[in-house]
Amino acid sequence: MYRVPDHRSHADAALLAFLTLLLLASCTGLRQSSVEQPLYTGFTIQWTSEPTFDGRGAERELSALVRPVANQSILGRRPAVALHNAVKEPEKKKGIKHWLKYKLGSPPVHLDALPLQDINAAMVNRMNNRGYFSARSSFEVVRHGRKASVTFTVEPGEPHIIRSLGMGAGNSGLDSALASMLPLSTVQAGEPYDLSRLTAERNRVTDRLRDHGWYRLRADDLIWAADTSVGGKRVDLHLRVKPGTSALKRRLHTIRSVTVHADQDEVLPPRDTVMVDQVRIINYLDMYRPAPILNGVLVRPGEAYSLRRTNAMQRYINSFGVFRNVLVAYADDTLREASLDAHIALMPLKRFSLFSELNAVSKSNNFAGPGVRFGIVDRNLLGGAEQLSVDLNGRFETQVSGADRGTNAYEIGLKAALAIPRMLLLPQPKGLLSSAPVTNISAGFGLFRRIDLYGMRSSAAGLSYSWHRGQRVWHDVQLLEVSYNDLFYTTPEFDAFLAENPIVKLSFEDQFIVGSGYTYTRSTRSRDDQRMWLVYSMGADASGNMLSAMFSLTRGDRPEEGYTLFNERFSQYIRLRPEVRWYKVVGGQGAQLVTRVLTHAGFSYGNTAVLPYVKQFFAGGTNSLRGFRARSVGPGTFVSQQEGNLLVDQVGDLKLEANMEYRFPISGFVKGALFADAGNVWLMRPDPSRPGGEFKWDTFVSEIALNAGFGVRVDPQVIVIRLDLAAPLRRPDLPAGDRWVFDDLDASWRRNLILNIAIGYPF
């Protein structure tokens, strides 16, 4: 029979937080409002007829004009305004009262704060800019006691349509280059006249011309000539160089010299100058070897000036992570007109720095406790901008509630990592302009001990590479991963548990992992104002295949106990980890709908029958199913029979999960979220000791766990502190007809609540 764990202390904390939010949310925030000075509650835009082109875009643009924004409401209530009204005016512009009143709270926005006449006129202007030159707009204030809203009525009329489009007007080199931009134009004949798009196209053309050497050209030097005399609400457009543009702006500029101030110091004079590959390198502190720096210098003497390569060079060198600033400037050559001297100034960060971090954790499996991490960073280990970090971390946790209250666990670890801003052993990927490829070498040791249960040691070393192609594609290659996990301590109770669960015992066996992996990630977001985009990734990692093939050639057939490395069996498996995230901006006040779908699967074979425990998948916890304890869901419909303090995580070979969040602002940097999570883990092979854990196509849908909840996030743009309060709605470990738990929520809803406290967004 399923036993509901005791989450009393977590439930009490969750209940207190929930009741506080509920109390504030019950307030209307109308205390400082009156019939004469009503609280502004929002607006609507009504069209007399739908705009012919891009009605949604037009409505978003007009909506952005209505400022200030109405106070955020939750189910018709305004907790941030209520908090502002409840706190007395602080004497100082700092302290807890000021933070509560003006940061967490929000001053009421009254109707008289809106310049309605100006907003109305601006709406007509924006419609004119979209080609609706006969547009009209009016507004009406709708009052409801101490509240008021505004209705804007917009009559768009018919838009002007582009009949023809041209670029360039003359025989000069600049005119010819301008004409060559027409086939790639983002504006086409047959579309409506739209000033913002025409301005963006002019900026795009200007940037492309500057990429090809027209250094002094600016967007204001180009002008759209419009001819509306053709009638019928049609217009001919031609982009040309503005009359009076100087001859120097019309000339191509070339680079005469390139100078790199490799470690510029504002006080010290230069020590020496060297010439490498046509680039003059001036050293002030002799910190860096020339070769690594030259990898990021993307311009050379004799080349035409390029805005794109200049910006890429700045991003590339900044990606080394060792400079506090990278400045690129061009100076006119005093002897030759239209000739430039490039100066690249690199201002280094301090080479050595210490860091420390003290934190506390409260997990959804009722474990809580303090943690500490400290270490040192060397930002130029070998004179080539290599970054070495060494850190020591430790954590102590105790179970603060539940049947196993008082169970303690501790973890310590030591890790060293070296990041080299170039490729070692592998060839340099071609076409990298925006960031340097990074070679990562790491080694570490960790020890985890759950007192009165078991202890595990782990040692690991790895060699990996990462690089970005543009701003939307990421590659991560794990060339080699070697780790060894050792179950060095067990109690008789834990030994008995493993004896009763032989498949679980195999996953805990001492074994080597010798493998590699690759992850490809791509974003479809191409600009900051994009309202919908996808981020998808495909990850894969494998272990033991090369070793198994080598041993089969040198040692013959695999023995019954499997091949061994240093007298220990090594794992052989492959894992696939596809994931898709979808982002959608909702409205114009910063709300966002975010979803994630992932399918992770691992297949063991050959030298091992079970995936290593550390490579199996789990469901439940702060970044997974938030209505369930960490690692407590599944596999499948399996019901754990653990007694006492045998808190072994429930893991599997296959994981399916979907998450959805509606994120919205509450006040200032305080944001809220409504969310739902669904998923489970399963076994790829039947396990008699875990009945119901195997994945089956005809039953897996009915075995999905489901939860929902509400979250509060404090996001001051530096670190995100997240509190998510969730409850299970469907439990796969209950009998098939009783998995929806709405009745349980009515009877014992406090015990079902899970409060997750975490850093960062869940996805």
Side-chain angles (χ1 to χ4, degrees):
M1 181 178 178
Y2 178 76
R3 295 179 292 106
V4 179
D6 183 2
H7 302 305
R8 191 165 301 145
S9 68
H10 268 294
D12 289 343
L15 179 61
L16 179 61
F18 183 77
L19 290 177
T20 301
L21 290 171
L22 188 63
L23 179 62
L24 286 173
S26 66
C27 300
T28 62
L30 294 175
R31 197 176 75 180
Q32 294 184 7
S33 302
S34 63
V35 175
E36 295 75 20
Q37 189 184 41
L39 183 73
Y40 167 62
T41 59
F43 69 94
T44 57
I45 295 177
Q46 296 181 351
W47 302 98
T48 59
S49 60
E50 188 72 18
T52 308
F53 293 94
D54 192 20
R56 289 186 178 180
E59 185 165 336
R60 285 196 299 268
E61 185 175 2
L62 299 189
S63 297
L65 297 172
V66 186
R67 292 292 184 270
V69 176
N71 297 111
Q72 186 72 33
S73 65
I74 302 175
L75 301 177
R77 298 294 186 259
R78 296 166 183 83
V81 177
L83 179 61
H84 175 87
N85 293 340
V87 177
K88 293 183 179 180
E89 188 66 32
E91 297 179 358
K92 300 179 180 179
K93 292 185 177 180
K94 58 182 179 180
I96 185 64
K97 284 188 177 181
H98 187 271
W99 183 83
L100 286 173
K101 189 173 183 68
Y102 290 101
K103 299 298 183 181
L104 189 58
S106 179
V109 178
H110 294 111
L111 179 66
D112 56 13
L114 275 76
L116 293 175
Q117 293 289 352
D118 294 340
I119 294 172
N120 195 65
M123 287 187 174
V124 175
N125 175 263
R126 295 299 189 274
M127 294 303 294
N128 291 166
N129 291 344
R130 286 177 167 265
Y132 296 89
F133 295 117
S134 58
R136 299 173 182 271
S137 178
S138 61
F139 66 89
E140 178 186 4
V141 175
V142 182
R143 297 177 181 269
H144 301 282
R146 290 186 290 169
K147 298 184 292 184
S149 61
V150 181
T151 299
F152 294 93
T153 302
V154 182
E155 180 184 350
E158 291 298 319
H160 274 64
I161 305 298
I162 299 172
R163 190 184 73 160
S164 65
L165 190 74
M167 293 184 184
N171 299 320
S172 69
L174 177 57
D175 284 306
S176 298
L178 183 55
S180 70
M181 302 291 170
L182 182 59
L184 299 177
S185 175
T186 59
V187 178
Q188 301 294 328
E191 296 177 348
Y193 174 96
D194 189 326
L195 181 61
S196 63
R197 292 194 62 204
L198 293 175
T199 301
E201 173 64 5
R202 185 182 66 170
N203 293 337
R204 184 195 71 83
V205 169
T206 303
D207 287 346
R208 297 294 77 77
L209 291 172
R210 297 188 70 201
D211 285 343
H212 290 82
W214 277 274
Y215 167 70
R216 297 191 178 279
L217 193 70
R218 297 295 183 268
D220 289 344
D221 297 319
L222 302 180
I223 187 172
W224 283 105
D227 182 5
T228 58
S229 63
V230 294
K233 293 189 179 296
R234 293 178 297 171
V235 58
D236 293 336
L237 295 175
H238 203 101
L239 185 64
R240 60 186 63 184
V241 181
K242 185 183 296 184
T245 300
S246 67
L248 189 59
K249 287 188 174 184
R250 295 173 180 266
R251 290 191 59 180
L252 281 170
H253 283 61
T254 57
I255 297 173
R256 187 185 72 91
S257 68
V258 179
T259 302
V260 177
H261 303 265
D263 48 9
Q264 182 166 314
D265 189 278
E266 291 85 351
V267 178
L268 296 178
R271 283 192 178 185
D272 67 316
T273 301
V274 296
M275 184 70 75
V276 181
D277 192 20
Q278 298 182 288
V279 176
R280 181 184 295 107
I281 300 178
I282 301 176
N283 293 303
Y284 295 76
L285 302 169
D286 286 331
M287 292 181 63
Y288 306 106
R289 291 179 282 108
I293 301 300
L294 283 176
N295 288 336
V297 180
L298 307 179
V299 297
R300 292 293 187 273
E303 296 178 348
Y305 165 82
S306 171
L307 174 65
R308 177 171 173 265
R309 295 184 75 84
T310 298
N311 292 338
M313 176 169 58
Q314 196 167 18
R315 291 194 300 268
Y316 192 103
I317 299 176
N318 259 321
S319 72
F320 289 4
V322 300
F323 300 108
R324 59 183 171 86
N325 208 351
V326 177
L327 301 177
V328 181
Y330 291 90
D332 290 315
D333 181 6
T334 57
L335 300 178
R336 294 181 56 187
E337 194 178 55
S339 195
L340 302 170
D341 294 321
H343 292 270
I344 301 129
L346 312 181
M347 301 175 184
L349 292 164
K350 291 182 179 180
R351 177 175 173 180
F352 296 100
S353 64
L354 299 173
F355 64 86
S356 62
E357 178 182 297
L358 180 65
N359 54 62
V361 65
S362 174
K363 297 181 178 178
S364 57
N365 59 357
N366 295 330
F367 272 88
V372 63
R373 175 174 175 259
F374 59 90
I376 185 172
V377 176
D378 181 350
R379 295 187 176 87
N380 192 31
L381 180 68
L382 304 173
E386 303 90 355
Q387 293 192 73
L388 173 67
S389 63
V390 180
D391 68 86
L392 177 67
N393 62 82
R395 184 181 303 282
F396 175 81
E397 300 173 356
T398 185
Q399 193 169 26
V400 295
S401 66
D404 308 304
R405 180 176 180 179
T407 299
N408 299 321
Y410 66 84
E411 181 178 2
I412 59 173
L414 176 66
K415 181 179 180 181
L418 178 63
I420 304 170
R422 52 195 174 276
M423 300 290 280
L424 297 182
L425 304 180
L426 295 182
Q428 178 97 350
K430 295 182 179 180
L432 296 187
L433 296 178
S434 61
S435 65
V438 179
T439 301
N440 298 290
I441 303 172
S442 63
F445 172 80
L447 184 148
F448 176 80
R449 174 80 179 272
R450 188 162 287 172
I451 298 174
D452 297 329
L453 193 59
Y454 67 90
M456 290 191 71
R457 288 186 295 238
S458 62
S459 303
L463 172 63
S464 64
Y465 305 89
S466 60
W467 68 91
H468 296 177
R469 191 168 295 280
Q471 301 297 310
R472 297 191 292 164
V473 178
W474 299 265
H475 299 269
D476 292 281
V477 175
Q478 184 77 41
L479 187 65
L480 181 64
E481 176 193 14
V482 180
S483 64
Y484 178 69
N485 300 292
D486 171 23
L487 188 65
F488 72 92
Y489 164 79
T490 59
T491 62
E493 292 83 4
F494 189 66
D495 289 335
F497 169 78
L498 293 182
E500 296 174 0
N501 297 269
I503 302 298
V504 177
K505 181 179 180 180
L506 286 175
S507 70
F508 272 94
E509 282 186 344
D510 302 346
Q511 53 191 288
F512 279 99
I513 296 174
V514 183
S516 57
Y518 171 69
T519 301
Y520 173 86
T521 305
R522 185 182 185 91
S523 171
T524 63
R525 190 177 190 182
S526 58
R527 61 183 191 277
D528 292 339
D529 61 348
Q530 194 165 327
R531 297 183 63 83
M532 184 172 65
W533 65 94
L534 287 171
V535 176
Y536 53 91
S537 67
M538 178 63 197
D541 58 282
S543 172
N545 297 316
M546 292 296 293
L547 280 177
S548 182
M550 182 178 66
F551 286 167
S552 66
L553 293 175
T554 58
R555 301 185 183 181
D557 293 339
R558 180 184 293 108
E560 184 176 349
E561 67 276 9
Y563 295 126
T564 60
L565 181 66
F566 303 114
N567 296 321
E568 296 288 353
R569 181 183 296 209
F570 59 84
S571 298
Q572 189 173 2
Y573 64 82
I574 184 170
R575 299 195 311 162
L576 302 176
R577 296 171 282 106
E579 181 175 319
V580 178
R581 302 180 187 185
W582 178 71
Y583 297 81
K584 169 70 174 177
V585 177
V586 180
Q589 298 185 22
Q592 193 179 64
L593 183 65
V594 186
T595 62
R596 176 180 68 172
V597 178
L598 59 85
T599 305
H600 294 174
F603 307 88
S604 59
Y605 53 90
N607 212 51
T608 47
V610 180
L611 280 174
Y613 176 74
V614 296
K615 294 294 183 179
Q616 294 184 358
F617 307 110
F618 66 88
T622 57
N623 295 327
S624 182
L625 306 183
R626 285 162 281 183
F628 298 84
R629 291 188 300 108
R631 301 172 182 250
S632 67
V633 180
T637 60
F638 170 66
V639 179
S640 175
Q641 301 299 321
Q642 297 179 32
E643 298 291 342
N645 62 353
L646 291 180
L647 303 173
V648 179
D649 299 330
Q650 294 168 213
V651 293
D653 310 316
L654 172 66
K655 177 179 179 178
L656 302 178
E657 186 171 310
N659 316 89
M660 177 178 291
E661 280 200 353
Y662 174 65
R663 301 170 181 170
F664 54 89
I666 294 179
S667 175
F669 51 73
V670 180
K671 301 178 181 180
L674 299 173
F675 60 83
D677 308 305
N680 204 338
V681 295
W682 291 267
L683 305 174
M684 300 297 286
R685 300 184 180 95
D687 179 1
S689 63
R690 288 181 287 180
E694 184 184 7
F695 178 82
K696 295 181 180 179
W697 286 102
D698 56 342
T699 60
F700 84 92
V701 173
S702 66
E703 297 169 1
I704 296 292
L706 178 66
N707 67 254
F710 171 76
V712 175
R713 291 84 190 275
V714 180
D715 183 5
Q717 304 299 314
V718 178
I719 188 172
V720 177
I721 301 174
R722 172 165 56 93
L723 293 89
D724 287 336
L725 187 64
L729 301 180
R730 197 171 193 278
R731 308 191 71 112
D733 50 359
L734 295 177
D738 299 322
R739 290 175 182 165
W740 292 103
V741 293
F742 297 111
D743 292 340
D744 279 352
L745 289 176
D746 291 338
S748 56
W749 60 274
R750 286 181 58 206
R751 301 180 67 189
N752 286 273
L753 288 174
I754 295 289
L755 177 63
N756 297 274
I757 304 174
I759 302 297
Y761 287 99
F763 53 89

